[in-house]
Amino acid sequence: SAQLRVEGPGQPVTATVGQDVVLPCHLSPQRDARSLEVRWIRDDLSETVHHYRNGEDLYGEQMGAYAGRTELARDGLSAGSLELRITGLRPSDDGQYFCTVKNADAYDEATVDLEVSAPIFHNTQPWMVALALVLLLLAVSIGLGVYLFRKQ
């Protein structure tokens, strides 16, 4: 059938500044997307983040901010996957993206929300935060104990 249906993840994709992220998007039902035109667009700017057509990536219309930072996952195209990888996330990458697909007689799009957060502490593990809190509470308890002991 000529009907195209594009589906996004249904919930926001979250990532941290500096990381790489994959924006999920796929055809439903699953079908070969190699012969389709796939374009990822920023909503607020309506500018091209990545453009793929006839088996090749087209960089002529790509926004300068994404130059050298995007990749359409080629290995998934034959199975209808339209995932876009963005490398080295920046705060400005935060926002809404449209995954658009068209062929000669059909068009559809899906929305993917990307939430980019700044790292509070680079590479901080949850156990480090817990340990810091325990040590802080221990120090406060000891300080309070010493204060009360001396007050007697």
Side-chain angles (χ1 to χ4, degrees):
S1 75
Q3 190 63 35
L4 284 174
R5 214 172 88 215
V6 181
E7 293 184 350
Q11 71 269 351
V13 175
T14 57
T16 306
V17 169
Q19 284 184 335
D20 295 353
V21 71
V22 173
L23 303 183
C25 181
H26 65 274
L27 294 175
S28 178
Q30 179 178 313
R31 72 179 250 200
D32 192 338
R34 288 176 295 189
S35 64
L36 301 174
E37 182 172 355
V38 179
R39 190 188 299 253
W40 281 86
I41 299 171
R42 282 299 300 266
D43 74 318
D44 49 343
L45 310 166
S46 292
E47 287 193 76
T48 301
V49 174
H50 195 92
H51 189 191
Y52 168 92
R53 186 176 66 220
N54 296 330
E56 59 182 330
D57 297 304
L58 306 172
Y59 296 105
E61 303 165 28
Q62 186 178 44
M63 293 172 63
Y66 293 95
R69 298 176 52 226
T70 64
E71 178 191 2
L72 195 69
R74 294 291 186 91
D75 53 349
L77 282 173
S78 59
S81 173
L82 312 168
E83 292 182 342
L84 181 73
R85 172 180 292 279
I86 302 175
T87 59
L89 277 180
R90 303 170 180 172
S92 59
D93 294 334
D94 186 272
Q96 206 169 54
Y97 292 76
F98 289 115
C99 170
T100 72
V101 177
K102 72 177 181 180
N103 62 13
D105 49 15
Y107 172 89
D108 196 23
E109 65 182 36
T111 306
V112 180
D113 288 309
L114 174 61
E115 295 176 355
V116 179
S117 59
I120 299 168
F121 302 104
H122 286 285
N123 302 322
T124 303
Q125 301 294 326
W127 67 266
M128 292 176 170
V129 176
L131 180 63
L133 284 172
V134 167
L135 291 175
L136 179 66
L137 286 172
L138 186 63
V140 168
S141 299
I142 291 172
L144 188 61
V146 168
Y147 170 73
L148 291 173
F149 180 76
R150 286 202 173 153
K151 197 175 175 191
Q152 283 183 349

